[in-house]
Amino acid sequence: MTERSEDLYPLALLMDELKHDDVANRVEAMKKLDTIALALGPQRTRDELVPFLTEVAQDDEDEVFAFLAEQLGKFVPYVGGNKYATLLLPALEILASTEETLVRDKAVNSLNNIAQELSQEQLFHDFIPLIENLATNEWFSSKVSACGLFKAVLVRVQDDKFRKELLALFLQLTQDDTPMVRRAAGRNLPTLIDLLTQNIHLSTNEDWDYISNMFQRLVGDSQDSVKFLAVEVLISILKFFNKKEDSTHTKGLLHSAVQLIGDEAWRVRYMAADCFEDLASQFTADPAYIEELVQPFLALCEDNESDVRKAIAKQIPGFAKLLPNSQIVLNKILPVVQTLCTDESETVRASLASEVTSLAPLLSKQEAIDNLIPILLNMLKDEFPDVRLNIITKLKVVNEATGIDFLTENLLPAITELAKDDNWRVRMAIIEYIPLLAEQLGVEFFDQQLADLCLSWLWDTVYSIRYAAVINLKKLTEVFGSDWSRERIISCLLKSDTQVLENFVYRITLLSALTELIPVVSAEVITDKILPFINHLSTDSVPNIRFNAAKSYAVMVETLGKEYNDLIKESVIIALEKLCQDSDVDVRYFAGQSLEKCKSLLS
């Protein structure tokens, strides 16, 4: 093969693969673009590969386009750096105009990445004209892509006239005939406003005239799927004026907020509910404004759409924190909480349960006991397990506000009931929460009320529960310490009677539990309590237990270290050497592995 043909080989190979009948082959070829570009070098990549890829961008399948769009965003180094980055724009402009959303999104991301590499001259000469081309194209797909590109240039345009022209172009997109274009503009508008907020020195009154016009267009849009985006736009506008410490627009923006909260379209109300704390927090400069939002808030709590109630239920504590005094919480908020806790929708009740405990610090201890605790007790009896679980997982804040007495008297029945639930996933969720609960309640309460329950999970009929119970004991040992584990866990496990130990499942579970505890207990506990038991099981009649005992020895040696060389050689090494002569092939295999590991640890 001649030198010239060797030079052409990578590109020729790529061209052949991109003409393959199978789409999967063409996709694989796209994944190798960076390798091909490296082989060709910057000059030939610019002269041959990029023009070829621009042709590919006009005629292939969406799967190929998606990979091409993504790869081109990383191609600046391969064409020779920033100076030549604009060569990549034509192919990406074509891809940004395709009908397939995934392809367009990847093309827009790549264009935004490349824009960061461009000089001011390149922006004005190449990138902004590209945006204008897309924004004025007759196809909606091009306009949708254009909406996502303004953020790359808006704050880099220092000239007020050019920024005004960009905003005027974006305003056109917000009033396009196609809802999909208006939706894309609405979705990207908060980002543009946030950029102006971060670079507040750039903005002018004319900029905000455009922004205000865009916002009003969104608020008045006939399509719910466009109109609901006005909520996030409003939040961004409020953040801008708060940063400017300009309150002249606040009253009018509050009116817009109330209008959106009470909109006839449930999607708009849902968005207002979902963002309520963030929205309300923009009005904290004047307590009177916050109070004006109380009634709209209560209306959302009583909305006829369960999705709206579900969204607002999570916002209750956040909004309550913004209220000027606790009496509003007592007289206005808690009554709707009482209603929501018996809502007909279980997802609404579960949503409320995930956050409602955070109301406790906002009330005095007596107010919490008299008004909030009855609600929590009611929810702990809910027939839907997620409601009970969500309350239990957030009890620390109630404990801090009301003391341990409430938890001692009322929590245990709920936990015990869930721990025995017929659904094993519910039992699993309780087990996973126990270590956190232990930290909240302390060792004394735990020993009295929950230690036996944790041990009982080791004998569950479902393997996943038994395994989770083993991990739970390890985490509890990390919380309460080695001495506690020896007295309350290990001693109890080793006291199992002979009849219990005749059951293979019991023996293997005990071995698993003790092995898991080895790294988190003291060396004394390992040598005095755990090692003798593993030695006993190393001669068990069941091969499965013998080879698991062999694995446990390796964990033990790794934990004890060289300080216990003599003990390890006298006990562990001898036991493993004996297991290496076992009649069962699996036992010999795992014993050999453990023996090799132990010797390497001791060397």
Side-chain angles (χ1 to χ4, degrees):
M1 189 180 289
T2 65
E3 184 178 340
R4 178 59 181 163
S5 61
E6 285 180 0
D7 286 345
L8 287 170
Y9 183 70
L11 186 57
L13 181 64
L14 176 68
M15 292 172 71
D16 285 344
E17 290 189 11
L18 284 173
K19 291 173 184 175
H20 199 284
D21 291 340
D22 189 351
V23 175
N25 282 61
R26 302 205 297 276
V27 168
E28 285 302 311
M30 278 297 148
K31 293 179 180 178
K32 300 171 188 170
L33 277 184
D34 52 352
T35 306
I36 301 294
L38 279 172
L40 291 172
Q43 182 71 50
R44 292 192 61 211
T45 297
R46 294 195 301 269
D47 294 347
E48 300 172 43
L49 181 58
V50 172
F52 171 66
L53 294 176
T54 305
E55 288 181 25
V56 171
Q58 301 175 61
D59 184 24
D60 211 313
E61 300 291 331
D62 290 333
E63 295 96 321
V64 178
F65 289 159
F67 277 98
L68 176 58
E70 187 173 7
Q71 291 277 18
L72 287 176
K74 309 168 188 173
F75 239 60
V76 174
Y78 302 127
V79 295
N82 305 12
K83 181 179 178 183
Y84 302 102
T86 55
L87 294 173
L88 302 170
L89 300 184
L92 285 168
E93 182 177 355
I94 295 167
L95 294 169
S97 301
T98 60
E99 289 189 20
E100 173 56 43
T101 303
L102 177 64
V103 176
R104 293 202 311 268
D105 288 346
K106 288 184 179 292
V108 168
N109 286 337
S110 290
L111 283 167
N112 281 323
N113 289 338
I114 291 171
Q116 306 308 313
E117 312 265 357
L118 301 179
S119 65
Q120 285 284 316
E121 183 183 349
Q122 289 172 314
L123 274 182
F124 283 102
H125 187 266
D126 296 283
F127 201 84
I128 291 177
L130 180 149
I131 295 176
E132 291 170 344
N133 289 341
L134 291 171
T136 54
N137 195 296
E138 62 178 309
W139 296 105
F140 84 89
S141 54
S142 300
K143 295 177 183 177
V144 167
S145 291
C147 293
L149 296 174
F150 284 78
K151 62 185 177 186
V153 297
L154 187 66
V155 295
R156 291 187 63 188
V157 175
Q158 304 292 324
D159 186 286
D160 290 345
K161 181 188 172 194
F162 276 110
R163 194 168 58 257
K164 179 180 172 183
E165 288 177 1
L166 283 172
L167 289 170
L169 186 58
F170 198 88
L171 175 59
Q172 286 180 30
L173 294 169
T174 64
Q175 49 199 9
D176 193 84
D177 292 337
T178 309
M180 286 169 286
V181 176
R182 302 200 301 275
R183 186 159 59 244
R187 195 165 51 244
N188 284 280
L189 184 51
T191 304
L192 300 186
I193 298 170
D194 292 345
L195 286 169
L196 287 174
T197 304
Q198 293 162 22
N199 300 270
I200 209 160
H201 60 282
L202 282 178
S203 63
T204 65
N205 289 335
E206 283 191 341
D207 292 344
W208 285 96
D209 288 341
Y210 280 110
I211 297 292
S212 176
N213 202 339
M214 294 176 202
F215 173 64
Q216 293 305 324
R217 295 279 179 182
L218 286 175
V219 171
D221 201 282
S222 59
Q223 295 283 327
D224 301 350
S225 61
V226 177
K227 193 176 187 179
F228 84 96
L229 297 166
V231 176
E232 291 189 339
V233 174
L234 175 58
I235 292 170
S236 291
I237 291 173
L238 285 162
K239 286 178 178 176
F240 173 82
F241 286 119
N242 285 336
K243 186 171 181 180
K244 270 188 86 173
E245 298 182 352
D246 179 356
S247 60
T248 56
H249 303 273
T250 308
K251 187 73 176 175
L253 293 171
L254 177 63
H255 174 73
S256 295
V258 173
Q259 182 182 343
L260 289 167
I261 293 165
D263 195 89
E264 61 180 19
W266 77 267
R267 287 182 181 84
V268 180
R269 300 198 304 277
Y270 170 82
M271 181 59 78
D274 199 45
C275 303
F276 202 93
E277 182 185 353
D278 197 8
L279 179 61
S281 65
Q282 307 309 318
F283 294 101
T284 51
D286 189 337
Y289 289 153
I290 290 292
E291 290 194 42
E292 281 193 47
L293 289 172
V294 172
Q295 201 54 47
F297 176 83
L298 299 177
L300 290 174
C301 292
E302 298 168 354
D303 198 274
N304 58 2
E305 288 287 341
S306 62
D307 283 342
V308 175
R309 300 196 303 276
K310 177 184 173 183
I312 199 64
K314 283 195 170 185
Q315 304 289 313
I316 288 173
F319 178 59
K321 287 175 190 173
L322 303 175
L323 295 171
N325 62 73
S326 64
Q327 287 306 305
I328 301 177
V329 178
L330 278 174
N331 299 330
K332 300 282 188 180
I333 304 300
L334 283 177
V336 296
V337 172
Q338 179 71 58
T339 303
L340 286 172
C341 82
T342 57
D343 195 275
E344 62 183 17
S345 167
E346 57 190 27
T347 58
V348 172
R349 302 197 303 275
S351 179
L352 175 68
S354 68
E355 300 295 336
V356 69
T357 55
S358 297
L359 287 171
L362 308 179
L363 305 168
S364 69
K365 180 177 179 179
Q366 196 57 49
E367 286 172 342
I369 291 171
D370 293 343
N371 298 280
L372 182 60
I373 296 307
I375 293 173
L376 300 182
L377 288 176
N378 190 37
M379 298 187 83
L380 281 171
K381 298 171 187 173
D382 196 288
E383 62 184 21
F384 188 45
D386 284 9
V387 176
R388 291 172 287 174
L389 283 171
N390 288 348
I391 292 290
I392 288 170
T393 54
K394 296 286 183 72
L395 277 175
K396 183 175 183 180
V397 66
V398 181
N399 180 24
E400 292 169 351
T402 65
I404 196 69
D405 292 342
F406 155 71
L407 296 176
T408 305
E409 294 170 12
N410 301 287
L411 177 62
L412 189 59
I415 290 181
T416 304
E417 188 177 345
L418 286 168
K420 297 173 182 176
D421 196 279
D422 290 340
N423 186 335
W424 70 269
R425 287 181 176 82
V426 175
R427 303 199 297 278
M428 176 78 82
I430 281 291
I431 294 172
E432 290 173 349
Y433 176 66
I434 286 293
L436 181 58
L437 194 63
E439 286 185 87
Q440 295 180 44
L441 303 181
V443 66
E444 185 177 346
F445 175 83
F446 188 87
D447 282 348
Q448 290 175 2
Q449 306 289 359
L450 295 174
D452 291 341
L453 184 61
C454 289
L455 289 172
S456 72
W457 281 319
L458 288 170
W459 322 123
D460 197 277
T461 55
V462 177
Y463 169 76
S464 296
I465 297 296
R466 298 198 298 273
Y467 180 73
V470 167
I471 301 301
N472 178 49
L473 294 180
K474 179 181 180 180
K475 291 179 178 177
L476 288 171
T477 299
E478 291 172 340
V479 173
F480 293 141
S482 176
D483 291 342
W484 172 85
S485 185
R486 178 181 57 195
E487 298 302 322
R488 291 297 285 119
I489 301 300
I490 296 173
S491 295
C492 291
L493 294 177
L494 295 179
K495 281 179 184 174
S496 302
D497 57 43
T498 307
Q499 190 173 358
V500 167
L501 290 175
E502 285 178 1
N503 186 310
F504 158 75
V505 173
Y506 277 54
R507 297 200 304 282
I508 196 72
T509 303
L510 282 174
L511 177 59
S512 176
L514 292 170
T515 303
E516 200 67 40
L517 289 171
I518 287 172
V520 293
V521 295
S522 66
E524 182 186 355
V525 172
I526 296 171
T527 55
D528 292 354
K529 299 284 186 182
I530 298 177
L531 178 57
F533 184 73
I534 293 177
N535 284 338
H536 172 69
L537 290 186
S538 70
T539 60
D540 196 274
S541 59
V542 178
N544 198 324
I545 289 179
R546 296 200 299 278
F547 76 61
N548 274 288
K551 289 196 248 183
S552 299
Y553 280 131
V555 177
M556 188 180 300
V557 171
E558 189 172 11
T559 303
L560 289 174
K562 294 181 181 179
E563 283 182 54
Y564 289 82
N565 256 8
D566 292 341
L567 175 67
I568 291 168
K569 287 177 181 177
E570 292 170 8
S571 183
V572 176
I573 299 297
I574 290 174
L576 284 172
E577 287 175 343
K578 185 177 179 182
L579 288 170
C580 285
Q581 308 301 317
D582 197 273
S583 58
D584 186 90
V585 63
D586 290 331
V587 175
R588 293 197 301 274
Y589 173 77
F590 287 110
Q593 279 199 326
S594 290
L595 182 61
E596 187 178 333
K597 183 175 181 181
C598 290
K599 287 181 176 178
S600 69
L601 288 168
L602 295 176
S603 61

